[in-house]
C-alpha cells in the first residue's frame, strides 16, 4: 500500500479521496509542513509517498500518470507529486527547507508546487508529466473549480488512455492492422487483472504451438501455423499496450518482451525447417542464414544506438535530411516499411507459410532482410561520417561489452594497447579484416575442416584483439560488434554446411541460437542500466574469438559425425550457462523499470 498525504484546505464533495484509493493509496491528511514531515517519518521506508492538494481538479488518468508510473523516482502534475523510496530523502529535505512564520504563506498555500520546485532543483530525476489534452490543476476559487470541472468533462480520459496505450512509433502493419483492436484487448486484460508478463508468456506459447504446427509439414499445419503466428503477434502488441494502459512497467517485462520475440521467431524458423524436412526438402542452411542475418541486423541497431544515444554536439546533415523526409506523411510509412520491422516481417512469414513452401518463405525473408540491412546500415554509416559528435566513455564501454571479447582478445589487446589512435578508423578496419579473412577462407577453401583453418582463426583472433585495444570512440566504431557477430555466426554456418552430414546444420542452429541469446541478454542489461554480464560469464563462454577457435579445432580434430555431436554438446553447455546466469540476474535485478518506445525490431 502506498500513502497519499492531503495537505491544504479541504473541499466538500470532492471525489479526490475516492480517486486516490482507486489508485491504491492509503489517504492521510496534514495541515502544515511540520505535520507532513512527521507523517513521512512514520511511514515504512519502502513505501511510495504522494503529496496531493485537496483542491486538485483533473482527470483520474492524470493522477495515475503522476502517482503510479514506476519508471521515475519522482513525478508531478499541478497539485500532485509522488516519490519512490529512493527519492524520499529529497522530499524530506524539501519539506524541512520550507520556512515558517510571517511572510511564508505563499510557500505553504500551494504546498505541492513548492515541494515540486524544490525536488526539481534537487536533481532527483523529477518527471513532469506531459498531460496533452488531460486536465490537472489546483482550483483556488469556486469559479476556477467550476471551470476546471467543465474542462475535465469535455475530455474523455479513457479514450486518451486507450490512445496513448499504443506505441508512439510503430510500423505500418502494426499501426493499421493490429493496434486499432489490440488496445481493447489490452484493456480487457487489465480489467481482469492480467499482467503484461502473463500476456508475453501467452504470446510465446502461441508462437511455439505455431512452430509445432509448421513442423508437421502438412498444408493444414502450415495454414494453422500462419494463423497462430499472427495471433501471437497480436498478443505481442497487446502486452506492451497493457503495460502502457496500466503503467505496469518493469525491467524484467522489457527483457521478457524482447527476448521472447527472438525466441518466437527463431523457434518458428526451426519449425519451418523441420516441416520442410518431412517433405524431403532440407532448408536448415536457409533457416540458420535467416537467423544470422536477422541477429546481425539487430546488432547493427543496438551498436549504433548505444554509440550515439548520449553523444554530445550531435549534428549531421544526413539526420537533418531524414527529419525533413519525416515531415512528409507518406515517406514516414514507406521508410518504416522498407526496414521490414517485426509486424511486416511476421505478416509476410505468416502469409507465405500458409500459401507457399518453407523454402519460399526463407528466400523471401533473406532477400527482404538483406535489402533492409543494406538500407539501414548505409544510412547509419552516412550519419556517422557526416556528424560532429563526441562519443562518451559510457558509449565506448557499451560497444566494448557488445563486442563480447574473450580472454584471447583481451590478452592481445593488452599487448597492443597504446598503438594506434583512438577515434580513428583502425578499430572497424581491424574488425572487418578479422571477419573477412576467416570467412573468405572457410567459404572458398576446398577443405575448411583442417588445422590450417585453426591457424586462420588464430590470425582472426589477433585482428579482433587489435580492434578492441583502444576505446571505441571513433565515428564508425559501432561497426565492430556487427563484424564480430557476422564472423562468428557465418563461420559456424559454413563449417556445419561443409560437414555435409545429417544433423550438423540443426546442431549449428542450436549453437548460434544459444550465442545469440547471450548477445541479446547483453544488450538488454545495458539498456536497463545494469551494465553488461559479469566478466566471468564472458570468459567462460570464450568470447567471440574463443568460440571460433573452439569450433575450428573441433572441425579439424573430429570426423563430420563427431563434429555434429560436439556442436550439439557445445550448444547445450552454452545454453545452460547463459540461461542460468540470465534468469538469475533478471529475476533478482533491482534495475529501474524501463519501457522501449524506439524503433520496432
Amino acid at each position: 500500500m502506498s500513502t497519499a498525504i492531503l495537505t491544504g484546505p479541504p473541499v466538500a464533495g470532492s471525489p479526490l479521496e475516492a480517486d486516490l484509493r482507486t489508485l491504491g493509496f492509503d489517504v492521510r491528511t496534514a495541515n502544515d509542513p511540520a505535520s507532513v514531515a512527521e507523517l513521512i517519518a512514520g511511514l515504512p521506508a519502502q513505501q511510495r509517498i504522494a503529496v496531493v492538494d485537496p483542491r486538485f481538479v483533473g482527470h483520474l488518468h492524470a493522477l495515475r500518470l503522476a502517482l503510479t508510473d514506476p519508471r521515475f523516482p519522482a513525478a508531478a502534475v499541478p497539485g500532485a507529486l509522488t516519490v519512490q523510496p529512493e527519492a524520499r530523502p529529497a522530499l524530506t529535505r524539501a519539506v524541512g527547507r520550507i520556512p515558517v512564520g510571517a511572510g511564508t504563506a505563499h510557500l505553504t498555500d500551494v504546498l505541492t508546487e513548492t515541494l515540486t520546485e524544490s525536488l526539481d532543483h534537487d536533481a532527483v530525476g523529477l518527471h513532469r508529466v506531459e498531460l496533452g489534452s488531460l486536465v490537472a490543476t489546483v482550483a483556488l476559487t469556486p469559479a476556477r473549480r467550476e471551470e476546471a470541472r467543465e474542462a475535465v468533462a469535455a475530455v474523455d480520459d479513457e479514450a486518451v488512455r486507450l490512445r496513448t496505450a499504443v506505441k508512439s512509433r510503430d510500423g505500418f502493419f502494426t499501426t493499421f492492422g493490429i493496434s486499432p483492436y489490440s488496445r481493447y484487448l489490452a484493456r480487457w486484460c487489465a480489467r481482469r487483472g492480467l499482467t503484461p508478463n502473463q500476456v508475453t508468456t501467452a504470446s510465446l506459447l502461441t508462437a511455439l504451438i505455431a512452430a509445432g504446427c509448421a513442423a508437421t509439414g502438412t498444408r493444414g499445419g502450415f495454414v494453422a501455423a500462419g494463423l497462430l503466428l499472427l495471433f501471437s503477434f497480436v498478443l505481442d502488441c497487446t502486452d506492451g499496450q497493457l503495460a502502457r494502459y496500466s503503467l505496469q512497467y518493469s525491467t524484467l517485462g522489457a527483457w521478457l518482451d524482447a527476448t521472447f520475440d527472438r525466441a518466437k521467431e527463431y523457434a518458428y524458423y526451426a519449425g519451418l525447417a523441420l516441416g520442410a524436412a518431412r517433405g524431403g526438402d532440407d532448408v536448415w542452411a536457409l533457416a540458420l542464414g535467416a537467423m544470422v542475418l536477422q541477429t546481425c541486423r539487430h546488432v547493427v541497431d543496438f551498436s549504433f544506438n548505444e554509440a550515439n544515444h548520449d553523444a554530445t554536439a550531435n549534428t549531421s546533415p544526413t539526420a537533418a535530411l531524414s527529419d525533413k523526409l519525416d515531415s512528409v506523411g507518406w515517406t514516414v510509412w514507406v521508410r518504416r516499411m522498407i526496414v521490414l520491422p517485426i509486424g511486416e516481417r511476421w505478416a509476410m512469414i505468416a502469409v507465405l507459410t500458409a500459401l507457399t513452401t518453407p523454402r519460399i518463405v526463407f528466400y523471401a525473408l533473406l532477400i527482404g532482410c538483406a535489402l533492409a540491412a543494406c538500407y539501414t546500415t548505409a544510412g547509419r554509416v552516412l550519419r556517422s561520417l557526416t556528424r560532429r559528435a563526441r562519443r562518451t566513455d559510457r558509449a565506448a564501454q557499451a560497444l566494448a561489452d557488445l563486442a563480447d571479447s574473450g580472454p584471447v582478445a583481451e590478452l592481445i589487446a593488452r599487448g597492443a594497447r597504446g598503438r594506434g589512435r583512438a577515434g580513428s578508423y583502425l578499430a572497424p578496419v581491424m574488425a572487418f579484416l578479422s571477419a573477412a579473412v576467416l570467412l573468405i577462407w572457410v567459404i572458398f577453401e576446398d577443405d575448411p575442416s583442417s588445422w590450417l583453418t585453426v591457424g586462420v582463426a588464430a590470425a582472426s583472433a589477433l585482428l579482433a584483439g587489435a580492434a578492441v585495444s583502444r576505446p571505441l570512440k571513433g565515428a564508425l566504431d559501432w561497426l565492430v560488434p556487427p563484424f564480430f557477430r557476422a564472423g562468428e555466426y557465418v563461420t559456424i554456418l559454413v563449417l556445419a554446411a561443409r560437414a555435409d552430414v545429417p544433423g550438423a546444420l540443426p546442431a549449428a542452429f542450436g549453437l548460434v541460437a544459444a550465442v545469440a541469446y547471450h548477445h541479446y541478454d547483453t544488450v538488454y542489461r545495458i539498456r536497463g542500466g545494469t551494465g553488461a554480464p559479469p566478466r566471468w560469464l564472458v570468459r567462460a563462454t570464450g568470447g567471440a574469438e574463443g568460440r571460433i577457435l573452439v569450433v575450428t579445432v573441433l572441425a579439424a580434430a573430429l570426423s563430420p559425425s563427431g563434429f555434429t555431436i560436439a556442436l550439439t554438446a557445445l550448444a547445450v553447455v552454452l545454453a545452460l550457462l547463459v540461461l542460468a546466469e540470465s534468469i538469475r540476474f533478471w529475476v533478482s535485478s533491482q534495475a529501474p523499470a524501463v519501457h522501449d518506445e524506439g524503433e520496432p525490431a
Side-chain angles (χ1 to χ4, degrees):
M1 176 70 74
S2 303
T3 298
I5 302 172
L6 292 177
T7 175
V11 178
S14 170
L16 182 59
E17 287 194 33
D19 287 346
L20 290 170
R21 291 192 175 93
T22 297
L23 297 178
F25 284 88
D26 177 33
V27 181
R28 310 282 185 88
T29 59
N31 296 322
D32 52 54
S35 55
V36 170
E38 185 178 348
L39 262 178
I40 293 173
L43 294 173
Q46 295 306 309
Q47 270 201 15
R48 174 193 287 266
I49 295 176
V51 181
V52 184
D53 194 303
R55 296 164 293 183
F56 174 88
V57 179
H59 288 101
L60 175 61
H61 192 50
L63 272 181
R64 182 182 290 108
L65 290 170
L67 304 186
T68 67
D69 194 326
R71 295 174 294 173
F72 310 106
V77 293
L81 69 94
T82 184
V83 293
Q84 296 204 63
E86 61 267 32
R88 278 183 57 173
L91 178 61
T92 300
R93 290 193 300 270
V95 173
R97 284 196 292 262
I98 298 176
V100 296
T104 63
H106 66 287
L107 297 175
T108 57
D109 185 40
V110 186
L111 185 60
T112 54
E113 295 307 302
T114 302
L115 295 176
T116 298
E117 290 297 326
S118 183
L119 289 175
D120 210 0
H121 287 95
D122 212 358
V124 297
L126 176 73
H127 171 65
R128 292 183 181 268
V129 177
E130 294 183 10
L131 293 171
S133 59
L134 296 175
V135 176
T137 187
V138 177
L140 301 179
T141 66
R144 290 185 61 183
R145 175 170 293 277
E146 186 59 31
E147 182 182 341
R149 284 174 174 168
E150 290 176 358
V152 169
V155 177
D156 183 352
D157 73 334
E158 179 61 18
V160 173
R161 189 181 180 191
L162 273 173
R163 185 173 66 250
T164 54
V166 177
K167 185 183 285 189
S168 58
R169 183 179 178 87
D170 225 326
F172 181 87
F173 176 74
T174 305
T175 299
F176 297 104
I178 304 294
S179 294
Y181 57 88
S182 62
R183 70 184 75 182
Y184 295 101
L185 180 58
R187 180 171 67 181
W188 183 89
C189 292
R191 290 177 175 176
R192 283 153 184 80
L194 297 176
T195 67
N197 291 350
Q198 290 171 333
V199 178
T200 301
T201 303
S203 177
L204 172 67
L205 294 175
T206 304
L208 293 179
I209 295 171
C213 291
T216 63
T218 64
R219 178 52 52 195
F222 288 149
V223 172
L227 292 173
L228 286 170
L229 186 65
L230 284 176
F231 182 59
S232 173
F233 183 63
V234 171
L235 293 176
D236 183 56
C237 295
T238 300
D239 63 5
Q241 291 164 359
L242 175 58
R244 297 180 201 94
Y245 182 85
S246 56
L247 300 182
Q248 297 182 73
Y249 300 116
S250 68
T251 299
L252 175 62
W255 170 74
L256 286 177
D257 185 41
T259 55
F260 280 10
D261 278 352
R262 307 289 79 79
K264 287 180 286 190
E265 187 167 359
Y266 300 157
Y268 193 83
Y269 293 175
L272 283 174
L274 289 169
R278 284 181 177 270
D281 189 12
D282 186 356
V283 297
W284 275 106
L286 297 177
L288 180 51
M291 180 168 70
V292 168
L293 179 55
Q294 188 57 35
T295 304
C296 289
R297 280 188 64 198
H298 286 139
V299 174
V300 168
D301 294 342
F302 299 145
S303 295
F304 180 80
N305 291 336
E306 289 301 325
N308 294 289
H309 89 284
D310 59 354
T312 57
N314 189 358
T315 60
S316 164
T318 310
L321 175 61
S322 177
D323 293 339
K324 186 175 181 180
L325 287 174
D326 279 345
S327 66
V328 182
W330 65 270
T331 64
V332 173
W333 297 115
V334 170
R335 295 172 70 215
R336 291 187 192 179
M337 293 172 70
I338 287 174
V339 301
L340 203 63
I342 187 169
E344 277 75 359
R345 192 167 67 250
W346 282 27
M348 180 185 74
I349 293 171
V351 171
L352 291 178
T353 298
L355 300 179
T356 65
T357 66
R359 180 172 290 273
I360 292 175
V361 173
F362 285 124
Y363 281 153
L365 191 59
L366 286 166
I367 292 170
C369 287
L371 292 174
C374 292
Y375 171 78
T376 55
T377 305
R380 286 167 178 172
V381 168
L382 286 174
R383 287 191 183 203
S384 300
L385 291 174
T386 57
R387 81 194 316 167
R388 298 181 184 88
R390 182 177 302 163
R391 271 71 183 184
T392 64
D393 291 338
R394 180 209 171 279
Q397 184 58 53
L399 291 179
D401 293 333
L402 291 174
D404 192 32
S405 301
V408 175
E410 283 183 336
L411 183 63
I412 296 168
R414 278 198 294 271
R417 202 160 319 269
R419 302 175 186 175
R421 183 168 55 87
S424 68
Y425 297 117
L426 180 64
V429 168
M430 291 294 102
F432 172 77
L433 291 175
S434 172
V437 166
L438 183 61
L439 293 181
I440 290 172
W441 177 268
V442 297
I443 290 171
F444 295 105
E445 170 62 21
D446 291 337
D447 181 20
S449 300
S450 67
W451 291 106
L452 281 175
T453 303
V454 177
V456 175
S460 174
L462 286 170
L463 293 169
V468 296
S469 63
R470 298 299 299 266
L472 299 177
K473 293 185 177 182
L476 295 179
D477 285 1
W478 56 271
L479 287 170
V480 170
F483 284 145
F484 285 172
R485 296 295 78 76
E488 179 182 1
Y489 297 160
V490 178
T491 296
I492 295 172
L493 188 162
V494 173
L495 289 177
R498 298 288 293 274
D500 197 26
V501 294
L505 280 167
F509 189 97
L511 176 57
V512 172
V515 176
Y517 176 87
H518 168 58
H519 292 144
Y520 283 115
D521 185 53
T522 301
V523 167
Y524 284 94
R525 291 196 196 210
I526 294 171
R527 282 190 172 184
T530 57
R535 285 304 302 170
W536 71 260
L537 179 65
V538 177
R539 293 188 178 105
T541 60
E545 80 291 341
R547 289 187 294 270
I548 291 173
L549 284 168
V550 169
V551 170
T552 55
V553 167
L554 292 175
L558 302 174
S559 66
S561 58
F563 179 58
T564 299
I565 295 171
L567 281 184
T568 304
L570 186 59
V572 170
V573 170
L574 281 177
L576 291 175
L577 184 63
V578 298
L579 276 172
E581 162 56 22
S582 177
I583 292 171
R584 181 209 65 77
F585 170 79
W586 288 104
V587 169
S588 61
S589 174
Q590 298 300 311
V594 298
H595 193 73
D596 182 19
E597 288 286 357
E599 289 284 358

